[in-house]
Every structure is written in structure tokens, then in C-alpha cells.
Amino acid sequence: MNARERFCATCRFEPTDRPFRWETIGFWPETTARWHNEGLPIDVDGYLTSAYFGMDLRIPIFVGNHEDPGFFPAFEEQVIAETDLYRIRRTAAGITQKEFTNRQSALPEFLAFPMTDMRSFEVIRERLDPATPNRLGADWAERAEAYRTVDVPVVVYVCGLFGFARHLLGFENLMAAYIENPELVHAIGEQWTTLYGGILETIAAATPVDAVYLWEDMAYRNGPMIGPAMFRTFMSPYYARAIDRARSSGIEVFQVDSDGNFALLIPLFVEAGINMFLPFEVQAGMDVLDVRRRYGRRVVIEGGLDKRVLARDRAAIRAEVDARVPALLHDGGYIPAIDHQVPPDVSLEDFEYYLQYVRAVGERCCRR
């Protein structure tokens, strides 16, 4: 099987020659910096790191992500102030933020956002039009032609609705708007549905799409940032409409990425059409075995292995893999992976041992 066949079979709970290899969603910059001192070639960084470790690659089509709600054209980036310790800049997403320059991974301090009310929303709405020429790039037709016959999955990356609204308003302003200005939140939902429903329809008309990846990150350690009632009111209708439109274009797999404990929201996402999730953070209380018991074949699982064990010892790594991977692969619909990026307390040697062990277990399970 090639990677595309393997991925699609996994998402359909069909047998595969081995598990799809995507054993981590990424690496902290500090992690690869450490590994460069432990034998990782200096030119291996970013996306190349996954290829270096023999993971099954995918072709990403980015139309929104954790930093961009989908603006086109993007805002002009601008450095407003800079010192030895930090810089203040406006990003391509129109967010003004204070970034510390000590080269360590940390969230910036957000100072201002692209909109505050309906009037300012109308000003930026033209950047959220799915029909804007060249939104997918001037070479889109050529790329789409090539994507039809590639042997790796084609995945469209979009910004989920909660993330979209948070990019536009900011977290605190969004929380207030749910109560004080629900009409504005619904207007944002309508625009999100129009934007991504239209983009996905355009992409799927030109090339098969194997999955849609939606960034949300809408949960803390102890639970989601909004409860089920608000989700039903402000998210469910728009998710359902966008997914129904995408399904009519032939797309089958819709994956939500949220850190934290989002267990309360899983049934609502599933009801709206989502059928795949990641990364299931163990330290936040997420349990992939429980998710499988509750949702069966309605949910494809990626992740759920406690990343913290990689920095302990090899016995802990084996125990973590043995506790989850065989049972989940037996049922199908599972991509073995840790529950977030690899942190910098993990040595290159221990990460390579984890890869070796989880792959060996996976191949034994698939041969049965």
C-alpha cells in the first residue's frame, strides 16, 4: 500500500499493511535544537524532521491554521516597536502582538485584534471571500492536476470556527460577545461557513481531498472553553452546514485538533459531522481507550500516547505503547502517536527507541 491508500483505509476502519506513520504532530524548536547536538543532521528541521524519521508524509493545502483565520489578501506585516527583549508587530492575520525574542517557545502577548464590532467586521469581510481570485495561488490548476495522482494523502488545513472567531476578536472579547453580542458571533459563524464551505467545494472540484484538518484548540486541562449549550447555539449549525456541503463534494474525513480535555464536546462534534480527532492529551485527562468504547467506529483516533513517558525510561515507553496501541489497532481507525509535539526533555536516542518500538508493535498487530 502507498501512504494515501494506507491513510484512507485507516479512516475507513479497513485492514492495512502497517499503521500509518505519523507518530507525533511535531517537535518543539528547542527539541530539534537539542537533537542537533545529539546527532540529528543540522539541516534537518521543521517539516523535514518528519521525513527524516520515515513518517508517511502528506500534502498540505493551507487555507487557514492556528495563526491565520483564512484572510486573503493577508494583512501587511509590520514591526511597530522593537527592543533587545521583545518586538511588537502586526501579523499577517491583523493581530498586534508582543513577542519575546529569547528564542524560547512561548505564546505572545496579544494587544489588538482585527475587529471589535459589526462595523469593523464589515471592513475585513472582503478578506474572507472564498471567491477572491488567486486565493489558492496562481499555480492552483497545475498543483491540483498533480495532486490527483500523488501517492500520499492530500489534506486541507483550515481554521475551525472557534479558532476563527478567536483570531478575529481575541479570546476575552469572544467570551464576552457570546453573552453581550450574540448577533456578531452568529455573523462570524455565517462568514466562516461561507468561506470554508466555498473553499472546500472549489478544491474538491479540482482534486480528491483525503481529509480536512480543522484547528480548534478550545479546551483547557479541566475542560472546554465553552460548554455544550454554547457549542450547540454558536457552532453546531455552522459546522453541520459546512461539512454537509463538503461531503456533497466527495470529502469523507473531517479531523478536529484540540489540546486539553475536550471530551464534553466530542458528541457534539460527531453530531455535526466530525469523524476524526487528535491529539488526546493524557495529562488533561483524555483517554483514547474510553473514547473508542464510547464512540466505536464513529471516531478515528490519532494520538493519545503520553508524551511525558518518552523522557522517563524505555520500560515506561513500552508500557505506554502496550497499554493502548494493540487494542486500538485491533479495532482499526487508529494512527499511533503521542499526544502533542515532542518536548525538549526527550533525547534523540529515546525518541528513536519510541519510534522503533511503536512501529514494531504496530506491524505485529497488522500481520495478525
Side-chain angles (χ1 to χ4, degrees), residues 125-145:
R125 194 192 290 266
E126 65 180 4
R127 297 178 186 265
L128 301 169
D129 182 353
T132 303
N134 290 329
R135 171 176 277 279
L136 296 172
D139 62 343
W140 166 242
E142 293 79 8
R143 287 162 46 219
E145 178 68 27

Side-chain angles (χ1 to χ4, degrees), residues 26 39 45 69 124 189 203 269 329 360:
D45 206 355
I124 66 170
I203 294 174
F269 274 121
L329 288 178

Side-chain angles (χ1 to χ4, degrees), residues 182-238:
E183 295 83 2
L184 179 61
V185 182
H186 281 298
I188 291 172
E190 289 288 349
Q191 192 63 42
W192 179 85
T193 305
T194 298
L195 174 66
Y196 285 118
I199 291 174
L200 292 173
E201 191 171 72
T202 298
I203 294 174
T207 182
V209 173
D210 300 300
V212 175
Y213 184 115
L214 299 108
W215 175 81
E216 283 293 16
D217 273 9
M218 58 182 303
Y220 298 109
R221 178 171 183 165
N222 295 319
M225 295 175 181
I226 61 173
M230 280 192 173
F231 188 103
R232 284 191 181 278
T233 299
F234 293 106
M235 292 185 63
S236 292
Y238 305 110

Side-chain angles (χ1 to χ4, degrees), residues 287-303:
D287 182 345
V288 285
L289 294 175
D290 183 62
V291 170
R292 176 52 50 83
R293 283 192 293 268
R294 289 176 181 270
Y295 300 100
R297 294 192 168 202
R298 290 181 293 167
V299 168
V300 180
I301 295 170
E302 177 180 343

Side-chain angles (χ1 to χ4, degrees), residues 150-165:
V150 294
D151 59 5
V152 298
V154 175
V155 180
V156 181
Y157 285 72
V158 310
C159 186
L161 176 52
F162 183 87
F164 181 83

Side-chain angles (χ1 to χ4, degrees), residues 18-95:
R18 61 166 172 78
F20 189 82
R21 289 179 179 168
W22 197 260
E23 291 90 354
T24 176
I25 63 174
F27 309 84
W28 288 31
E30 295 91 339
T31 305
T32 50
R34 169 185 173 165
W35 290 354
H36 288 148
N37 294 318
E38 297 177 352
L40 183 71
I42 196 66
D43 59 343
V44 174
D45 206 355
Y47 193 67
L48 291 175
T49 313
S50 300
Y52 175 82
F53 289 116
M55 297 184 190
D56 287 322
L57 302 184
R58 57 188 83 178
I59 289 179
I61 301 174
F62 290 105
V63 290
N65 56 35
H66 66 288
E67 295 181 335
D68 177 14
F71 284 134
F72 186 82
F75 285 87
E76 182 179 354
E77 297 191 46
Q78 178 184 5
V79 175
I80 299 169
E82 189 165 12
T83 73
D84 291 340
L85 298 177
Y86 65 84
R87 74 173 62 89
I88 296 175
R89 72 179 180 101
R90 186 180 70 175
T91 72
I95 298 171

Side-chain angles (χ1 to χ4, degrees), residues 237-250:
Y238 305 110
Y239 256 93
R241 282 165 48 196
I243 291 175
D244 283 349
R245 184 175 177 183
R247 282 193 190 281
S248 69
S249 298

